[in-house]
Amino acid sequence: MDSTWLVLLSLALGLVVGAGFVWLLYSAASRSHRATEIVSPTVPDGVDQVLEALPTAGIVVDPSNNVVRASAGAYGLGLVWNAALSQPRLVELVDAVRRTGDPLEEDLELARSALGDATVLLTVRVARLGSRYILLLADDRTEAVRLEQVRRDFVANISHELKTPIGAISVLAEALESAPDDPEQVRHFASRLTNEAGRLARLTQDIIDLSRLQAADIVPHAERVSIDHVVTSAVDQNRVLAESRGIELATGRHSHAIVFGDENLLTTAVHNLISNAVRYSPDRTRVGIGTRLHDGIVEITVTDQGPGIPADDLDRVFERFYRVDQARSRATGGTGLGLSIVKHAVQNHGGEVRVWSKPGSGSTFTIRLPEAEHIAPEPLKPGLPKQAPVKQGERTT
């Protein structure tokens, strides 16, 4: 009997020890599984596909504020760095949503990176994703805000520019009405009235031309155009004004270059450069107009002996209504849109405009266009063969 009890006791102890060992293994496995879930969290099904399809930047954050999923746009905007949110304000929004459970939306201006001063304007939306995660969506509105500001500035500038000739015409009309019996005064006011009406007509036409150029990125119906013919036409349009001030329009040899594009647009662009050079040149000086064909690029160069452009203004002179010398530009009848038209006309032909200038030494503007033999006879897309970067700017009329 004693041996039987010993055997039964041994079996019981063995069962207890075995059960305890099994329980320990199960407990360890459970802890390991929970640890694996924490280290490698799983997000709800379909989130990866949604992030890939979103046009905005998308980020999924776990309870420890680790970024477990992020779209390419989030990385492109610099919102994620080293598996964490790179912007403190984004962390604050995530924490606020985690505390309250309520979605948040906020417009933010954030530094794009710690290496520069570039900023992005974002509309950020933050909300819960399931019970553990937070979803952050960021819509980049930087370009939309910039374009809206450009539009507002353009409307404001147009209003300001139109007020001057319209106001002058109104005053001159009143002066004419008050001096009907003085032929000399009538002739004087009528002459000034004609000048202001012409200025208003030029401004209106320039606004229309610029709007048309900005409405399209390419020339819709490109044809073979002779650059020599374009230059000759542009020079002839400015000859009377130049001769009245004793300014020589000196042209070089013909280049015989051909480009694909719109002859009227190209003639307008060259005409604006020559007109600008004549207006800013002293009397009895010289304006040089030359053409050159080099490595598949056609260059049209206009050089004046005017006062030159300060270095601080070079980056802004192609802006609409920007003038280096406000008083002089108005006195010469400039609209402030001439060089902006040049820039957009040339860009629509797949080209670019460069400028060199030194105060006291004059300025040189160069239009660069791809030669016809180096491009297909189809609507042109912007872009020239790769060249070394050159600082460029423009001066408005």
Side-chain angles (χ1 to χ4, degrees):
M1 289 291 294
D2 292 338
S3 60
T4 301
W5 279 106
L6 288 174
V7 171
L8 292 174
L9 182 60
S10 298
L11 289 174
L13 289 173
L15 289 173
V16 172
V17 172
F21 184 69
V22 170
W23 180 83
L24 288 174
L25 288 176
Y26 175 79
S27 178
S30 298
R31 288 196 298 270
S32 176
H33 180 68
R34 287 196 298 271
T36 301
E37 286 185 335
I38 294 174
V39 174
S40 303
T42 57
V43 297
D45 292 339
V47 170
D48 290 334
Q49 290 78 7
V50 171
L51 290 181
E52 291 178 2
L54 282 175
T56 58
I59 302 171
V60 177
V61 180
D62 70 7
S64 299
N65 279 352
N66 297 312
V67 174
V68 295
R69 294 290 188 277
S71 67
Y75 287 100
L77 291 173
L79 304 181
V80 178
W81 174 254
N82 198 22
L85 295 172
S86 63
Q87 303 288 346
R89 182 54 186 160
L90 297 181
V91 176
E92 293 174 1
L93 291 176
V94 168
D95 290 341
V97 171
R98 186 176 288 114
R99 285 193 310 270
T100 65
D102 297 328
L104 289 177
E105 179 174 324
E106 187 171 317
D107 292 329
L108 301 176
E109 181 175 357
L110 303 174
R112 189 161 195 140
S113 73
L115 303 178
D117 56 0
T119 60
V120 290
L121 302 174
L122 306 175
T123 296
V124 177
R125 301 173 184 85
V126 186
R128 282 188 174 277
L129 181 64
S131 59
R132 301 186 67 241
Y133 301 101
I134 301 295
L135 175 65
L136 185 149
L137 300 176
D139 184 17
D140 184 5
R141 301 185 61 252
T142 308
E143 184 65 11
V145 171
R146 186 191 69 81
L147 291 176
E148 177 61 20
Q149 184 61 47
V150 168
R151 185 193 66 79
R152 287 199 297 266
D153 291 344
F154 189 41
V155 172
N157 286 331
I158 289 176
S159 301
H160 175 74
E161 295 293 333
L162 289 175
K163 284 179 181 178
T164 302
I166 291 174
I169 289 173
S170 177
V171 171
L172 290 170
E174 291 177 3
L176 277 173
E177 187 178 7
S178 64
D181 300 327
D182 189 339
E184 186 66 25
Q185 286 288 85
V186 168
R187 283 193 295 271
H188 172 71
F189 290 132
S191 176
R192 291 187 57 187
L193 187 62
T194 301
N195 290 338
E196 291 298 332
R199 179 181 173 186
L200 182 60
R202 289 193 300 274
L203 177 58
T204 302
Q205 187 59 51
D206 281 352
I207 292 172
I208 293 172
D209 291 343
L210 185 58
S211 298
R212 287 174 177 170
L213 288 170
Q214 290 180 315
D217 293 330
I218 61 174
V219 177
H221 305 292
E223 299 177 344
R224 294 174 66 86
V225 177
S226 167
I227 289 299
D228 294 331
H229 188 267
V230 166
V231 170
T232 299
S233 298
V235 169
D236 288 343
Q237 292 176 22
N238 288 278
R239 196 174 298 282
V240 173
L241 176 61
E243 290 178 351
S244 69
R245 297 180 49 204
I247 295 175
E248 177 189 0
L249 298 181
T251 57
R253 294 181 300 177
H254 288 177
S255 65
H256 305 291
I258 303 294
V259 301
F260 278 106
D262 184 310
E263 183 171 341
N264 290 332
L265 277 181
L266 291 175
T267 301
T268 297
V270 178
H271 160 72
N272 284 355
L273 288 185
I274 298 174
S275 175
N276 205 50
V278 170
R279 281 200 293 268
Y280 277 86
S281 293
D283 293 348
R284 293 176 295 280
T285 56
R286 175 176 173 171
V287 171
I289 304 99
T291 58
R292 185 175 79 122
L293 177 59
H294 179 69
D295 289 340
I297 301 298
V298 181
E299 295 186 345
I300 308 169
T301 303
V302 178
T303 301
D304 65 52
Q305 296 175 317
I309 306 170
D312 292 342
D313 292 306
L314 282 176
D315 288 334
R316 298 195 60 192
V317 289
F318 275 117
E319 294 179 12
R320 294 167 298 190
F321 297 112
Y322 184 79
R323 297 178 173 91
V324 175
D325 186 338
Q326 295 277 352
R328 182 169 185 175
S329 180
R330 292 184 189 279
T332 58
T335 65
L337 295 175
L339 287 178
S340 187
I341 291 174
V342 173
K343 175 183 176 180
H344 287 283
V346 173
Q347 286 181 343
N348 286 11
H349 283 79
E352 64 179 358
V353 183
R354 295 181 177 182
V355 62
W356 173 91
S357 188
K358 182 179 180 181
S361 300
S363 304
T364 298
F365 288 86
T366 303
I367 292 174
R368 305 179 73 245
L369 299 166
E371 184 189 9
E373 280 67 22
H374 285 71
I375 55 178
E378 298 175 353
L380 300 174
K381 294 182 179 180
L384 286 165
K386 294 291 184 181
Q387 301 285 332
V390 175
K391 180 179 178 63
Q392 67 177 21
E394 302 156 294
R395 178 181 67 188
T396 53
T397 56

